[in-house]
Coordinates of all heavy atoms in Angstrom, one line a residue:
M1 N -150.2 125.6 2.3 CA -149.0 125.0 1.6 C -148.5 126.1 0.7 O -149.3 126.7 -0.1 CB -149.4 123.8 0.9 CG -148.3 122.8 0.9 SD -148.9 121.2 0.3 CE -148.1 121.1 -1.3
E2 N -147.3 126.3 0.7 CA -146.7 127.3 -0.2 C -146.3 126.7 -1.5 O -145.8 125.6 -1.6 CB -145.4 127.8 0.5 CG -144.9 129.1 -0.1 CD -143.6 129.6 0.6 OE1 -143.6 129.6 1.8 OE2 -142.7 130.0 -0.1
E3 N -146.7 127.5 -2.6 CA -146.4 126.9 -3.9 C -145.7 128.0 -4.7 O -146.1 129.1 -4.9 CB -147.7 126.6 -4.6 CG -147.6 125.4 -5.5 CD -149.0 125.0 -6.1 OE1 -149.8 124.7 -5.3 OE2 -149.1 125.1 -7.3
K4 N -144.5 127.6 -5.1 CA -143.7 128.5 -5.9 C -143.9 128.2 -7.4 O -144.0 127.0 -7.8 CB -142.2 128.3 -5.6 CG -141.8 129.1 -4.5 CD -140.3 129.0 -4.3 CE -139.9 127.9 -3.4 NZ -138.4 127.7 -3.2
K5 N -144.0 129.2 -8.2 CA -144.2 129.0 -9.6 C -142.8 129.1 -10.3 O -142.0 130.0 -10.0 CB -145.1 130.1 -10.2 CG -146.6 129.8 -9.8 CD -147.5 130.7 -10.6 CE -149.0 130.3 -10.3 NZ -149.9 131.1 -11.0
I6 N -142.6 128.1 -11.1 CA -141.3 128.1 -11.8 C -141.7 128.1 -13.3 O -142.5 127.3 -13.8 CB -140.5 126.8 -11.5 CG1 -140.3 126.7 -10.0 CG2 -139.2 126.8 -12.2 CD1 -139.9 125.4 -9.5
I7 N -141.0 129.0 -14.0 CA -141.3 129.2 -15.4 C -140.2 128.6 -16.3 O -139.0 128.8 -16.0 CB -141.5 130.7 -15.8 CG1 -142.6 131.3 -14.9 CG2 -141.8 130.8 -17.3 CD1 -144.0 130.7 -15.1
C8 N -140.5 127.8 -17.3 CA -139.5 127.2 -18.2 C -138.8 128.4 -18.9 O -139.5 129.2 -19.5 CB -140.1 126.3 -19.1 SG -139.0 125.6 -20.3
C9 N -137.5 128.4 -18.9 CA -136.8 129.5 -19.5 C -136.8 129.3 -21.1 O -136.6 130.3 -21.8 CB -135.4 129.6 -19.0 SG -134.4 128.0 -19.2
R10 N -137.1 128.2 -21.6 CA -137.2 128.0 -23.0 C -138.6 128.3 -23.6 O -138.7 129.0 -24.6 CB -136.9 126.5 -23.4 CG -135.5 126.1 -23.2 CD -135.3 124.7 -23.9 NE -134.4 123.9 -23.0 CZ -134.3 122.6 -23.2 NH1 -135.0 122.0 -24.1 NH2 -133.5 121.9 -22.4
C11 N -139.6 127.8 -22.9 CA -141.0 127.9 -23.4 C -141.8 129.0 -22.7 O -142.9 129.3 -23.2 CB -141.7 126.6 -23.3 SG -140.7 125.2 -23.6
N12 N -141.3 129.6 -21.6 CA -142.1 130.6 -20.9 C -143.4 130.0 -20.3 O -144.4 130.7 -20.2 CB -142.3 131.8 -21.7 CG -141.4 132.9 -21.3 OD1 -140.6 132.8 -20.4 ND2 -141.5 134.0 -22.0
K13 N -143.4 128.7 -20.1 CA -144.6 128.1 -19.5 C -144.3 127.6 -18.1 O -143.2 127.4 -17.7 CB -144.9 126.8 -20.3 CG -145.4 127.1 -21.7 CD -146.3 126.1 -22.2 CE -146.9 126.5 -23.6 NZ -147.9 125.6 -24.1
E14 N -145.4 127.6 -17.3 CA -145.3 127.2 -15.9 C -145.0 125.7 -15.8 O -145.7 124.9 -16.4 CB -146.6 127.6 -15.2 CG -146.5 127.5 -13.7 CD -147.9 127.7 -13.1 OE1 -148.7 128.5 -13.6 OE2 -148.2 127.1 -12.1
L15 N -144.0 125.4 -15.0 CA -143.7 124.0 -14.8 C -144.8 123.4 -13.9 O -145.3 124.0 -13.0 CB -142.3 123.8 -14.2 CG -141.1 124.4 -14.9 CD1 -139.8 123.8 -14.4 CD2 -141.2 124.3 -16.4
K16 N -145.1 122.1 -14.1 CA -146.1 121.4 -13.3 C -145.4 120.3 -12.5 O -144.6 119.6 -13.1 CB -147.2 120.8 -14.2 CG -147.8 121.8 -15.1 CD -149.0 122.5 -14.5 CE -149.7 123.4 -15.5 NZ -150.6 124.3 -14.9
P17 N -145.9 120.0 -11.3 CA -145.3 118.9 -10.6 C -145.8 117.6 -11.2 O -146.9 117.4 -11.5 CB -145.9 119.1 -9.2 CG -147.1 119.9 -9.3 CD -146.9 120.8 -10.5
E18 N -144.8 116.7 -11.3 CA -145.2 115.4 -11.9 C -144.4 114.3 -11.2 O -143.2 114.4 -10.9 CB -144.8 115.4 -13.4 CG -145.3 114.2 -14.2 CD -144.9 114.4 -15.7 OE1 -145.5 115.2 -16.3 OE2 -144.1 113.6 -16.1
K19 N -145.1 113.2 -10.9 CA -144.4 112.1 -10.2 C -143.3 111.6 -11.2 O -143.5 111.2 -12.3 CB -145.4 110.9 -10.0 CG -146.3 111.1 -8.8 CD -145.6 110.6 -7.5 CE -146.5 110.7 -6.3 NZ -145.9 111.3 -5.2
T20 N -142.1 111.6 -10.6 CA -140.9 111.2 -11.4 C -140.1 110.2 -10.7 O -140.0 110.3 -9.5 CB -140.1 112.5 -11.7 OG1 -140.9 113.5 -12.3 CG2 -139.0 112.2 -12.7
Y21 N -139.6 109.3 -11.4 CA -138.8 108.2 -10.8 C -137.3 108.5 -11.1 O -137.0 108.8 -12.2 CB -139.2 106.9 -11.5 CG -138.5 105.7 -11.0 CD1 -138.8 105.1 -9.7 CD2 -137.5 105.1 -11.7 CE1 -138.1 104.0 -9.2 CE2 -136.8 103.9 -11.3 CZ -137.2 103.4 -10.0 OH -136.5 102.3 -9.6
F22 N -136.6 108.5 -10.0 CA -135.1 108.8 -10.2 C -134.3 108.2 -9.1 O -134.9 107.7 -8.1 CB -134.9 110.3 -10.3 CG -135.2 111.1 -9.1 CD1 -134.2 111.5 -8.2 CD2 -136.6 111.4 -8.8 CE1 -134.6 112.2 -7.1 CE2 -136.9 112.1 -7.7 CZ -135.9 112.5 -6.8
S23 N -133.1 108.2 -9.3 CA -132.2 107.6 -8.3 C -131.3 108.6 -7.7 O -130.9 109.6 -8.3 CB -131.4 106.4 -8.8 OG -130.6 106.8 -9.9
Y24 N -131.0 108.4 -6.4 CA -130.1 109.4 -5.7 C -129.3 108.6 -4.7 O -129.9 107.9 -3.9 CB -131.0 110.4 -5.0 CG -130.3 111.4 -4.2 CD1 -129.6 112.5 -4.8 CD2 -130.3 111.4 -2.8 CE1 -128.9 113.4 -4.0 CE2 -129.7 112.3 -2.0 CZ -128.9 113.3 -2.6 OH -128.3 114.2 -1.8
L25 N -128.0 108.7 -4.7 CA -127.1 108.1 -3.8 C -127.4 106.6 -3.7 O -127.4 105.9 -2.7 CB -127.3 108.6 -2.4 CG -126.8 110.1 -2.2 CD1 -127.0 110.5 -0.7 CD2 -125.3 110.2 -2.5
G26 N -127.6 106.0 -4.9 CA -127.8 104.5 -5.0 C -129.2 104.0 -4.6 O -129.4 102.9 -4.7
H27 N -130.1 105.0 -4.2 CA -131.5 104.6 -3.9 C -132.4 105.1 -5.1 O -132.0 106.1 -5.7 CB -132.0 105.2 -2.6 CG -131.2 104.7 -1.4 ND1 -131.5 103.5 -0.8 CD2 -130.1 105.2 -0.8 CE1 -130.7 103.4 0.2 NE2 -129.8 104.3 0.2
S28 N -133.5 104.5 -5.2 CA -134.5 105.0 -6.2 C -135.7 105.5 -5.5 O -136.1 105.0 -4.5 CB -134.9 103.8 -7.1 OG -133.8 103.4 -7.9
Y29 N -136.2 106.6 -6.1 CA -137.3 107.3 -5.4 C -138.4 107.7 -6.5 O -138.1 107.9 -7.6 CB -136.8 108.6 -4.8 CG -135.8 108.4 -3.7 CD1 -134.4 108.6 -4.0 CD2 -136.1 108.0 -2.5 CE1 -133.5 108.5 -3.0 CE2 -135.2 107.8 -1.5 CZ -133.8 108.1 -1.8 OH -132.9 107.9 -0.8
H30 N -139.6 107.9 -5.9 CA -140.6 108.6 -6.7 C -140.8 109.9 -6.0 O -140.9 110.0 -4.8 CB -142.0 107.8 -6.6 CG -142.0 106.7 -7.6 ND1 -142.2 106.9 -8.9 CD2 -141.9 105.3 -7.4 CE1 -142.2 105.7 -9.5 NE2 -142.0 104.7 -8.6
A31 N -140.8 111.0 -6.7 CA -141.0 112.3 -6.1 C -141.7 113.2 -7.1 O -141.7 112.9 -8.3 CB -139.7 112.9 -5.7
D32 N -142.4 114.2 -6.6 CA -142.9 115.2 -7.5 C -141.9 116.2 -7.9 O -141.3 116.9 -7.1 CB -144.0 116.0 -6.7 CG -145.3 115.2 -6.6 OD1 -145.6 114.5 -7.6 OD2 -146.0 115.3 -5.6
I33 N -141.6 116.2 -9.2 CA -140.6 117.0 -9.8 C -141.3 118.0 -10.7 O -142.1 117.6 -11.5 CB -139.5 116.2 -10.6 CG1 -138.9 115.2 -9.6 CG2 -138.5 117.1 -11.2 CD1 -138.0 115.7 -8.5
M34 N -140.9 119.2 -10.6 CA -141.4 120.2 -11.5 C -140.9 120.0 -12.9 O -139.8 119.8 -13.2 CB -141.0 121.6 -11.1 CG -141.5 122.0 -9.7 SD -143.2 121.8 -9.4 CE -143.8 123.3 -10.3
R35 N -141.9 119.9 -13.8 CA -141.6 119.5 -15.2 C -142.3 120.4 -16.2 O -143.5 120.7 -16.0 CB -142.0 118.1 -15.4 CG -141.5 117.5 -16.7 CD -142.1 116.1 -16.9 NE -141.2 115.4 -17.8 CZ -140.4 114.5 -17.5 NH1 -140.3 114.1 -16.2 NH2 -139.6 113.9 -18.4
C36 N -141.7 120.8 -17.2 CA -142.3 121.7 -18.3 C -143.2 120.8 -19.1 O -142.7 119.8 -19.6 CB -141.3 122.3 -19.1 SG -142.0 123.2 -20.5
P37 N -144.5 121.1 -19.2 CA -145.4 120.3 -20.0 C -145.1 120.3 -21.5 O -145.5 119.5 -22.3 CB -146.8 120.9 -19.8 CG -146.5 122.3 -19.3 CD -145.2 122.3 -18.7
D38 N -144.3 121.3 -21.9 CA -144.0 121.5 -23.3 C -142.8 120.8 -23.8 O -142.8 119.9 -24.7 CB -143.9 123.0 -23.6 CG -144.8 123.5 -24.7 OD1 -146.0 123.1 -24.7 OD2 -144.3 124.2 -25.6
C39 N -141.6 121.1 -23.1 CA -140.4 120.5 -23.6 C -139.9 119.4 -22.7 O -138.9 118.7 -23.0 CB -139.3 121.6 -23.7 SG -138.8 122.3 -22.2
G40 N -140.6 119.2 -21.5 CA -140.2 118.1 -20.6 C -139.0 118.4 -19.8 O -138.5 117.5 -19.1
E41 N -138.5 119.6 -19.8 CA -137.4 120.0 -18.9 C -137.8 119.9 -17.5 O -138.9 120.4 -17.1 CB -137.0 121.5 -19.3 CG -135.9 122.0 -18.5 CD -134.5 121.6 -19.1 OE1 -134.5 120.9 -20.1 OE2 -133.5 122.0 -18.6
V42 N -136.9 119.3 -16.6 CA -137.3 119.2 -15.2 C -136.4 120.2 -14.4 O -135.3 120.6 -14.8 CB -137.0 117.8 -14.7 CG1 -138.0 116.8 -15.3 CG2 -135.6 117.3 -14.9
Y43 N -137.0 120.6 -13.3 CA -136.3 121.5 -12.4 C -136.3 120.8 -11.0 O -137.3 120.6 -10.4 CB -137.0 122.8 -12.3 CG -136.4 123.7 -11.2 CD1 -135.2 124.4 -11.5 CD2 -137.1 123.9 -10.0 CE1 -134.7 125.2 -10.5 CE2 -136.6 124.7 -9.0 CZ -135.4 125.4 -9.3 OH -134.9 126.2 -8.3
I44 N -135.1 120.5 -10.5 CA -135.0 119.9 -9.2 C -134.4 121.0 -8.2 O -133.3 121.4 -8.3 CB -134.0 118.7 -9.2 CG1 -134.6 117.6 -10.1 CG2 -133.9 118.1 -7.8 CD1 -133.7 116.4 -10.3
P45 N -135.3 121.5 -7.3 CA -134.9 122.6 -6.4 C -133.8 122.1 -5.4 O -133.8 120.9 -5.1 CB -136.1 123.0 -5.7 CG -137.1 121.9 -5.9 CD -136.7 121.1 -7.1
E46 N -133.0 123.0 -5.0 CA -131.9 122.7 -4.1 C -132.4 122.1 -2.8 O -131.8 121.2 -2.2 CB -131.1 124.0 -3.8 CG -129.6 123.7 -3.6 CD -128.9 125.0 -3.4 OE1 -129.1 125.9 -4.3 OE2 -128.1 125.1 -2.5
E47 N -133.6 122.6 -2.4 CA -134.1 122.2 -1.1 C -134.6 120.7 -1.2 O -134.5 120.0 -0.2 CB -135.3 123.1 -0.6 CG -136.5 123.0 -1.5 CD -137.0 124.4 -1.8 OE1 -136.1 125.3 -2.1 OE2 -138.2 124.7 -1.8
L48 N -135.0 120.3 -2.4 CA -135.3 118.9 -2.5 C -134.1 118.0 -2.4 O -134.1 117.0 -1.7 CB -136.0 118.7 -3.9 CG -136.4 117.3 -4.2 CD1 -137.7 116.9 -3.4 CD2 -136.7 117.1 -5.7
V49 N -133.0 118.4 -3.0 CA -131.8 117.6 -3.0 C -131.3 117.6 -1.5 O -130.9 116.5 -1.0 CB -130.8 118.2 -3.9 CG1 -129.4 117.5 -3.8 CG2 -131.3 118.2 -5.3
K50 N -131.3 118.7 -0.8 CA -130.7 118.8 0.5 C -131.6 118.3 1.6 O -131.2 117.7 2.6 CB -130.3 120.3 0.8 CG -129.1 120.7 0.1 CD -128.7 122.1 0.5 CE -127.4 122.5 -0.3 NZ -127.2 124.0 -0.1
G51 N -132.9 118.7 1.5 CA -133.9 118.4 2.6 C -134.8 117.3 2.4 O -134.8 116.3 3.2
R52 N -135.6 117.3 1.3 CA -136.6 116.3 1.1 C -136.0 114.9 1.0 O -136.5 113.9 1.4 CB -137.4 116.6 -0.1 CG -138.4 117.8 0.1 CD -139.7 117.5 0.7 NE -140.5 116.6 -0.1 CZ -141.3 116.9 -1.1 NH1 -141.3 118.1 -1.5 NH2 -142.0 116.0 -1.7
M53 N -134.9 114.9 0.3 CA -134.2 113.6 0.0 C -133.8 112.9 1.3 O -134.0 111.7 1.5 CB -132.9 113.8 -0.8 CG -133.2 113.9 -2.2 SD -134.2 112.4 -2.7 CE -134.9 113.0 -4.1
F54 N -133.4 113.7 2.3 CA -133.0 113.2 3.6 C -134.3 112.6 4.3 O -134.2 111.5 4.8 CB -132.4 114.3 4.4 CG -132.0 113.8 5.8 CD1 -130.9 112.9 6.0 CD2 -132.7 114.1 6.9 CE1 -130.5 112.5 7.2 CE2 -132.3 113.6 8.2 CZ -131.3 112.8 8.3
E55 N -135.4 113.3 4.2 CA -136.7 112.8 4.7 C -137.1 111.5 4.1 O -137.5 110.6 4.8 CB -137.8 113.8 4.5 CG -137.7 115.0 5.5 CD -138.8 116.0 5.2 OE1 -139.8 115.6 4.7 OE2 -138.5 117.2 5.4
V56 N -137.0 111.4 2.8 CA -137.4 110.2 2.1 C -136.5 109.1 2.5 O -137.0 108.0 2.8 CB -137.2 110.5 0.5 CG1 -137.4 109.1 -0.2 CG2 -138.3 111.5 0.1
E57 N -135.2 109.3 2.6 CA -134.3 108.3 3.0 C -134.6 107.8 4.4 O -134.7 106.6 4.7 CB -132.9 108.8 2.9 CG -131.9 107.7 2.8 CD -130.5 108.2 2.4 OE1 -130.4 109.5 2.2 OE2 -129.6 107.4 2.2
T58 N -134.9 108.7 5.3 CA -135.3 108.3 6.7 C -136.6 107.5 6.7 O -136.7 106.5 7.4 CB -135.4 109.6 7.6 OG1 -134.3 110.3 7.4 CG2 -135.7 109.2 9.0
M59 N -137.6 107.9 6.0 CA -138.8 107.2 5.9 C -138.6 105.8 5.4 O -139.2 104.8 6.0 CB -139.8 107.9 4.9 CG -140.8 108.8 5.6 SD -141.6 109.9 4.3 CE -142.0 108.7 3.0
L60 N -137.8 105.6 4.4 CA -137.6 104.2 3.9 C -136.9 103.3 5.0 O -137.2 102.2 5.1 CB -136.7 104.3 2.7 CG -137.3 104.9 1.4 CD1 -136.4 104.9 0.3 CD2 -138.6 104.1 1.0
E61 N -136.0 103.9 5.7 CA -135.3 103.1 6.7 C -136.2 102.8 7.9 O -135.9 101.8 8.6 CB -134.1 103.9 7.3 CG -132.9 103.9 6.3 CD -131.8 104.9 6.6 OE1 -131.9 105.5 7.7 OE2 -130.8 104.9 5.9
D62 N -137.2 103.6 8.1 CA -138.1 103.3 9.2 C -139.0 102.1 9.0 O -139.5 101.5 9.9 CB -139.1 104.5 9.5 CG -138.4 105.5 10.4 OD1 -137.4 105.2 11.0 OD2 -139.0 106.6 10.5
K63 N -139.2 101.7 7.7 CA -140.1 100.6 7.4 C -139.5 99.2 8.0 O -138.3 99.0 7.9 CB -140.3 100.5 5.9 CG -141.4 101.4 5.5 CD -141.7 101.3 4.1 CE -142.7 102.3 3.7 NZ -142.9 102.4 2.2
Ligands
LIG101 ZN1 -140.2 124.2 -21.7

């Protein structure tokens, strides 16, 4: 599994993945979002918005 390190631009600390609850296109999701342990700043990568979200939506519809 490939892991990219993302550094908080404010604190210079490595962001950690954290289960985060959020809504997208009228649906609510739990997902691992990179979050700064210091200031709580979150980073949502473009691929999550474009790719993973679609997978999550498909999974929900399959149930
Ligand atoms: Zn920070």
Side-chain angles (χ1 to χ4, degrees):
M1 217 167 106
E2 196 179 313
E3 214 175 299
K4 273 187 271 179
K5 286 192 177 179
I6 304 162
I7 305 296
C8 178
C9 55
R10 286 190 223 166
C11 319
N12 258 357
K13 292 208 174 183
E14 191 187 326
L15 305 197
K16 307 272 186 192
E18 192 177 289
K19 280 273 184 231
T20 307
Y21 180 76
F22 63 101
S23 61
Y24 177 75
L25 292 179
H27 297 272
S28 296
Y29 300 101
H30 282 283
D32 284 323
I33 301 294
M34 300 305 286
R35 188 186 203 105
C36 175
D38 234 46
C39 68
E41 181 83 1
V42 295
Y43 172 78
I44 300 177
E46 211 175 313
E47 67 229 42
L48 181 74
V49 176
K50 284 183 182 170
R52 289 276 297 281
M53 274 310 157
F54 180 72
E55 282 175 30
V56 171
E57 201 163 5
T58 305
M59 261 167 46
L60 290 179
E61 282 171 2
D62 273 351
K63 276 186 185 168

